[in-house]
Amino acid sequence: MRDHFEAVAGAIGELRQGGEDFLANYRAEDSTFIRFNKSAVRQPGQVREIELGLSLIDGRRIAEETLSLSGGVDEDRGRIARAMASLREVVAVSPEDPYLLVSETLANSERTIGEALPEAGDVIDAVTEAGKGRDLVGFYAGGPVFTGFANGRGQRNWDEARSFNADWSFYAGGDKAIKTSHAGFAWNRSAFTGAAADAASRLDILTRPPRTVPPGEYRAYLTPAALNEILGMLSWGGFGLAAHRTRATIFLRMIEGGAQLNERVTLTEATAAGSAPSFQREGFLKPEAVTLIERGAYRDCLVSPRSAAEYGAATNGASGSEYPASLDMAAGELPMADALKALGTGVYVSNLWYLNFSDRSGGRLTGMTRFATFWVENGEIVAPLNVMRFDDTIYRMLGSQLEALTEERALLLDPGTYDGRNLDSVRLPGALLAGLRFTL
Amino acid sequence: MFEEIERRFRRLAPAVDHCTLRIERRREEKLTVERDAPGPRRALESVGGMVTVRHQGGLGYAATSDCGESGLADAIARAIDLAALSANRMVPGFPGPVPFTVDETYTGPQAQPWAVVPLADRLTMLADASKRLRIDERIADWGAAFWSIDKEQWFLDAAGGRIVQRFHYLQPTLWASASAQGETQRRTFGDAGMRVGGAEVLDQLGFATAPERVAHEAIELLEAPNCPEGAMDIVLAPDQMVLQIHESIGHPLELDRILGDERNYAGTSFVTPDMFGTFRYGSDLLNITFDPGVAEEVASYAYDDEGTKATREYLIKDGILMRPLGGATSQARAKLPGVANERACSWNRPPIDRMSNINLEPGEGSLADLVGKVERGVYMESNRSWSIDDSRNKFQFGCEYARSIKDGELGGVVRNPNYRGISSGFWRSLKGVGGADVFAVAGTPYCGKGEPNQAVKVGHATPPCLFGGVDVFGGA
């Protein structure tokens, strides 16, 4: 694919005219997708696609077109030529863009990550074997994802990630399940089998009669997967400079009202430690780390080139959405093995689901427990809990009520596949809360 | 292009039990003016095809952005390989193929083609709207955007069938956020306003007169008290009913959820197969249809993506649950009747059970008639927050804009309106359904589901509705 990317970049360079500049964002994937239900195959498939995001720039005028490519150099040269001609017409009638900012520093980069990935047949064998005699439902996505950037100044950035993400649930009945994922950059069947066996070994407890507890405030332990759902809501317009300047951020009371989170909370966009590419669509490289919240206080924003131009700030290579791609939460001091004991009596939340804002300005979130949530007494799991709704503020959950973070952290690779396979990741601990408000 | 790919496919079609090719070309344009600054015009031309093979009980799909001779042949070979690997390992009850041989074309309406509106005019409309949104220095964020989509799809069966469908969608949006003293309130226009059509959609939705209203309402909200708390009646405007129908009727009725396919991602359903025909889902006033025939609604079509002809069906009649949202595959697995709703978001994703147009049929009366029945309550517009459990039962929804209701009259504006409940109990509290004069067509392009993930366009048409004894509350 690298050769094809270089040919594409070369073709664009040859087709430009006069003082035109360009940005070329190349993305290709060759993905195996296999869906399972009832420990059997539901939909097995493969997707090969190449997409080029091409921006043509003339002075301060810019237009962008994203087009599918075939992989054949001659065919694609024709498609690019047609796109360039169309873009040229659009640029000619477009107004100047006051916030256009592209990298003027030549910064090449290259990364290749990942090793051997399984054939589809191996995945089907491994998953159906793991599900034998059980109710397994889940999804495997794997294969290479290629990301490239080129511009008219000759910059080249290339990222080649061969990864897999097996994400599945063993159901004990009804809505009670153990959800697990096994993801990485080198498939090892015995590691998958071990992870599946470990998940299955935790099923028995879900067969106990479930409890329902009345709405109210309870002590709670959030696993890293559950806490990730809350951090996902903070990431949704929380850390971007534009969201701060337009007062849309969930951190409004921190930046205007002096509110703080618990001093245990330090959040960093840790690009160097994550799995996402280190460059972005206007050609800027991302720094190794940007500290967003330090010991409970708001520090830096993610700044896209567009926001940098609009607000007179320096960009730190954020994407246009100013959404973190490699969020890292600092570890605490609670050994994960002691989480139940530290919880004492309360709710152990394995997974949260479908969070949204009850009051964004007020920092208030709601969401549901899902899969495996347990009622715990004196450090022992008593029974699975029926699903419950929480509704609480970040200033309590990550502030006054945050009692401890675990010393171990989990690296979670994003299983999302909406616009192609996502390469984002998070690294975060579990969290012990002195009180979490449940409402329904 | 399509004819050439079709000839290629028919020449390459393999000797298997069943083989189809779904080709799609989707052209999009996004224009945005944000805080009075024009952003770059963003266009998309996505072209590709998906080959699906069924053979000896197995299934395989292979998608490619290379529909040339070698690319298509390669996709066919990959689909055959996957079908061989999955033979005798598919989910219980997975049905055999049903080839189609029809040759039909469906084109959605577009009275005033969007493409003939010059780009400069489109940008001028947005720039004008943007300027009109900044009515006060407390407006901290504002903008206007057009999203247009032109889609052509050819679905070919090696047995000879050809279904061609063409659609043009347009969604105009506006937004204004007002902020002061640690509080921000946002008001939008068009978030649920995607429709099939061209420039006429702007007039249908009232785009030209909307900017000042949107901005004034953002300021009103900033100055308003918090929404009252307690059990009370609520009247929901169509642009909130859309979300209520979507989350607490549409999703739980999806048959693939009921069959368990979505349990690892989008969730399951509190609805079980034995409920159809007897379960009281809502009050007698509740009538829900699967209606692919409302031409301007975003999910109107003639055939679904497995080649099943789409017809209007009642899902809930007089409050009783009648049939699920399941396409031919799920119907065979569950042994239940269903609808033509196996849909894919694009050429690179396989069809699964989706909502299409799920509508709440009109009753009688105006909005004022509904409000007139309320002694104490809240009227709410425009969804801003949605959360529901994975069985689609316990929900909490929030709206942008609300007004109190007292003694049958609309009162002052209140902010941060939220309400929560449990799906079936909530629909049984339906006390009033507006008539045909206040029946509104809405649509969203963001219904997410499936592994791999897919976001599809879903339509909902509904009048405003009145519910009794709902748990209502405000902000932090």
Side-chain angles (χ1 to χ4, degrees):
Chain A
M1 296 308 291
R2 180 69 184 267
D3 290 345
H4 182 251
F5 164 65
E6 291 294 346
V8 164
I12 299 167
E14 289 166 16
L15 287 161
R16 68 176 168 161
Q17 299 174 359
E20 290 173 345
D21 193 5
F22 70 85
L23 309 173
N25 283 282
Y26 181 96
R27 193 179 190 286
E29 68 176 75
D30 185 353
S31 296
T32 298
F33 293 135
I34 306 172
R35 193 172 201 200
F36 299 89
N37 185 16
K38 306 284 184 190
S39 302
V41 179
R42 172 63 185 93
Q43 280 175 319
Q46 200 170 37
V47 174
R48 284 182 183 165
E49 64 175 312
I50 310 171
E51 197 174 79
L52 173 67
L54 176 58
S55 297
L56 189 67
I57 301 168
D58 190 356
R60 297 206 63 80
R61 300 176 199 276
I62 178 172
E64 176 186 312
E65 180 167 335
T66 299
L67 59 150
S68 301
L69 298 181
S70 70
V73 174
D74 292 339
E75 165 69 20
D76 290 338
R77 188 181 169 85
R79 294 187 190 191
I80 292 165
R82 287 191 292 277
M84 291 281 275
S86 168
L87 284 167
R88 200 163 284 127
E89 289 178 13
V90 173
V91 167
V93 297
S94 293
E96 292 194 342
D97 182 349
Y99 305 134
L100 174 63
L101 180 65
V102 300
S103 176
E104 296 184 353
T105 305
L106 197 67
N108 296 327
S109 67
E110 182 169 349
R111 180 186 76 159
T112 300
I113 185 170
E115 300 170 32
L117 296 174
E119 297 293 328
D122 296 335
V123 174
I124 291 174
D125 288 346
V127 175
T128 53
E129 177 67 26
K132 201 169 281 180
R134 302 187 181 102
D135 181 4
L136 179 151
V137 55
F139 181 58
Y140 170 89
V145 176
F146 308 94
T147 312
F149 173 83
N151 64 15
R153 293 175 172 78
Q155 181 170 329
R156 296 288 186 275
N157 304 94
W158 182 249
D159 188 275
E160 189 170 324
R162 294 171 189 276
S163 64
F164 69 92
N165 202 321
D167 184 76
W168 75 96
S169 307
F170 283 125
Y171 266 80
D175 61 357
K176 305 292 185 294
I178 300 292
K179 183 175 173 68
T180 314
S181 68
H182 178 63
F185 301 92
W187 172 262
N188 177 320
R189 178 158 176 180
S190 64
F192 167 78
T193 303
D198 178 60
S201 73
R202 290 181 274 141
L203 267 172
D204 278 355
I205 205 158
L206 285 177
T207 61
R208 296 180 191 174
R211 287 261 187 111
T212 298
V213 296
E217 188 168 328
Y218 296 95
R219 288 178 63 77
Y221 173 74
L222 307 178
T223 65
L227 184 58
N228 185 35
E229 296 294 325
I230 291 174
L231 296 190
M233 292 303 295
L234 306 189
S235 300
W236 185 6
F239 298 117
L241 181 64
H244 281 238
R245 294 300 172 90
T246 60
R247 305 295 186 257
T249 173
I250 190 172
F251 299 115
L252 188 60
R253 294 194 178 169
M254 289 175 76
I255 61 171
E256 284 199 347
Q260 288 216 331
L261 300 180
N262 192 291
E263 66 173 11
R264 293 181 177 88
V265 177
T266 293
L267 290 168
T268 306
E269 168 71 332
T271 300
S275 53
S278 61
F279 51 92
Q280 55 85 265
R281 296 179 71 85
E282 283 80 22
F284 292 93
L285 293 190
K286 301 179 180 187
E288 290 197 354
V290 177
T291 302
L292 306 168
I293 291 176
E294 186 170 31
R295 296 177 61 81
Y298 204 90
R299 195 167 130 182
D300 292 323
C301 286
L302 296 175
V303 186
S304 70
R306 190 166 189 82
S307 287
E310 181 170 2
Y311 299 112
T315 180
N316 48 29
S319 66
S321 66
E322 299 182 330
Y323 199 102
S326 307
L327 194 62
D328 178 289
M329 187 174 194
E333 296 175 344
L334 174 68
M336 208 173 266
D338 293 344
L340 279 173
K341 186 178 159 193
L343 174 62
T345 295
V347 182
Y348 182 101
V349 183
S350 298
N351 303 88
L352 290 173
W353 161 250
Y354 226 122
L355 277 62
N356 214 314
F357 303 106
S358 299
D359 176 359
R360 191 187 294 228
S361 292
R364 185 169 152 192
L365 303 174
T366 187
M368 294 299 305
T369 64
R370 188 177 175 186
F371 295 116
T373 296
F374 301 102
W375 178 249
V376 176
E377 289 180 1
N378 301 317
E380 298 284 339
I381 291 177
V382 174
L385 263 185
N386 285 318
V387 295
M388 295 189 74
R389 171 170 297 288
F390 80 91
D391 192 343
D392 216 331
T393 71
I394 59 170
Y395 303 111
R396 281 174 37 85
M397 295 185 288
L398 299 177
S400 61
Q401 302 300 306
L402 181 61
E403 205 166 277
L405 294 170
T406 60
E407 64 182 3
E408 301 92 342
R409 295 188 296 168
L411 174 66
L412 304 178
L413 302 183
D414 193 326
T417 47
Y418 275 108
D419 295 314
R421 281 175 38 234
N422 198 325
L423 296 174
D424 293 354
S425 63
V426 294
R427 187 187 300 270
L428 75 174
L432 180 67
L433 276 57
L436 180 62
R437 289 174 176 159
F438 291 96
T439 56
L440 188 65
Chain B
M1 177 195 90
F2 290 98
E3 292 84 352
E4 190 181 336
I5 297 172
E6 178 178 4
R7 282 194 292 275
R8 205 171 284 146
F9 170 66
R10 300 213 181 277
R11 195 169 61 246
L12 294 170
V16 292
D17 293 347
H18 190 221
C19 182
T20 61
L21 172 65
R22 180 165 45 84
I23 321 160
E24 179 185 304
R25 180 177 64 203
R26 192 173 76 256
R27 292 173 167 144
E28 300 189 11
E29 180 189 75
K30 288 182 178 176
L31 296 172
T32 305
V33 174
E34 198 169 20
R35 298 182 288 282
D36 292 337
R41 180 256 203 186
R42 294 196 161 91
L44 166 78
E45 179 161 325
S46 179
V47 180
M50 173 173 285
V51 174
T52 302
V53 165
R54 289 190 181 200
H55 190 58
Q56 296 182 344
L59 165 78
Y61 69 81
T64 179
S65 57
D66 178 8
C67 290
E69 186 87 10
S70 62
L72 201 54
D74 182 60
I76 290 170
R78 286 183 285 133
I80 290 172
D81 286 348
L82 287 164
L85 286 170
S86 61
N88 303 317
R89 302 169 93 170
M90 295 296 291
V91 289
F94 189 74
V98 183
F100 64 90
T101 53
V102 297
D103 184 357
E104 291 199 26
T105 297
Y106 172 86
T107 302
Q110 191 181 185
Q112 300 170 42
W114 186 242
V116 304
V117 179
L119 175 60
D121 291 358
R122 301 198 289 268
L123 287 167
T124 299
M125 278 191 276
L126 291 177
D128 174 63
S130 177
K131 282 193 175 63
R132 290 159 55 201
L133 285 162
R134 187 88 199 281
I135 60 166
D136 186 297
E137 62 181 16
R138 291 172 292 176
I139 298 289
D141 186 25
W142 67 100
F146 293 140
W147 182 10
S148 62
I149 303 170
D150 193 58
K151 173 179 165 177
E152 178 165 352
Q153 177 178 297
W154 288 41
F155 188 38
L156 308 169
D157 191 316
R162 179 202 293 121
I163 298 167
V164 177
Q165 301 193 93
R166 301 185 184 95
F167 310 91
H168 187 276
Y169 311 92
L170 183 64
Q171 182 176 30
T173 50
L174 301 166
W175 66 94
S177 291
S179 187
Q181 298 176 322
E183 180 70 34
T184 300
Q185 290 290 324
R186 181 178 170 92
R187 195 72 176 107
T188 62
F189 166 91
D191 275 3
M194 179 170 273
R195 287 191 177 198
V196 174
E200 71 274 14
V201 171
L202 301 184
D203 293 336
Q204 291 169 3
L205 296 176
F207 178 79
T209 58
E212 287 82 2
R213 176 183 62 77
V214 168
H216 277 294
E217 289 179 354
I219 295 291
E220 272 188 298
L221 285 165
L222 193 65
E223 297 170 344
N226 230 339
C227 180
E229 189 168 329
M232 64 189 80
D233 289 358
I234 60 172
V235 176
L236 300 180
D239 62 357
Q240 172 59 18
M241 282 300 300
V242 165
L243 188 282
Q244 187 69 54
I245 295 165
H246 184 91
E247 301 286 9
S248 67
I249 292 180
H251 280 307
L253 296 198
E254 289 163 347
L255 191 49
D256 60 344
R257 281 176 171 270
I258 296 169
L259 287 163
D261 291 354
E262 288 284 341
R263 290 176 296 165
N264 188 56
Y265 178 58
T268 179
S269 176
F270 72 89
V271 173
T272 52
D274 57 302
M275 290 179 175
F276 292 96
T278 57
F279 181 70
R280 176 157 287 284
Y281 207 101
S283 75
D284 289 344
L285 298 174
L286 183 63
N287 287 288
I288 299 287
T289 55
F290 168 92
D291 193 348
V294 182
E296 72 273 26
E297 204 169 346
V298 286
S300 290
Y301 49 81
Y303 288 85
D304 74 3
D305 293 337
E306 286 289 10
T308 304
K309 189 170 181 60
T311 57
R312 183 176 188 265
E313 305 288 350
Y314 272 91
L315 305 176
I316 297 172
K317 185 93 170 69
D318 302 327
I320 303 297
L321 185 61
M322 301 302 290
R323 68 170 65 204
L325 283 165
T329 306
S330 294
Q331 289 172 38
R333 291 168 64 200
K335 299 184 173 56
L336 284 170
V339 296
N341 71 324
E342 282 183 274
R343 303 174 61 204
C345 67
S346 182
W347 58 266
N348 58 11
R349 294 290 182 266
I352 55 175
D353 290 342
R354 303 306 302 247
M355 283 176 250
S356 58
N357 295 332
I358 309 300
N359 299 343
L360 195 153
E361 297 298 315
E364 290 180 356
S366 64
L367 175 62
D369 293 334
L370 294 176
V371 170
K373 295 176 183 173
V374 178
E375 189 178 323
R376 175 176 174 265
V378 179
Y379 164 74
M380 301 188 193
E381 283 184 8
S382 309
N383 180 261
R384 78 169 191 186
S385 178
W386 58 99
S387 174
I388 189 165
D389 73 46
D390 66 302
S391 300
R392 300 279 150 176
N393 226 348
K394 291 182 174 180
F395 66 79
Q396 178 175 317
F397 300 143
C399 292
E400 290 180 358
Y401 183 83
R403 293 177 67 179
S404 60
I405 305 174
K406 194 173 177 189
D407 298 330
E409 299 283 342
L410 283 175
V413 173
V414 294
R415 74 184 184 202
N416 302 320
N418 291 285
Y419 63 100
R420 59 170 83 96
I422 293 176
S423 291
S424 55
F426 182 80
W427 287 106
R428 286 179 207 143
S429 75
L430 177 65
K431 290 169 42 175
V433 175
D437 288 349
V438 284
F439 184 74
V441 171
T444 173
Y446 297 121
C447 177
K449 186 181 167 185
E451 293 176 304
N453 305 148
Q454 306 191 44
V456 298
K457 300 170 188 66
V458 176
H460 298 296
T462 174
C465 290
L466 165 63
F467 299 85
V470 179
D471 186 9
V472 172
F473 58 100

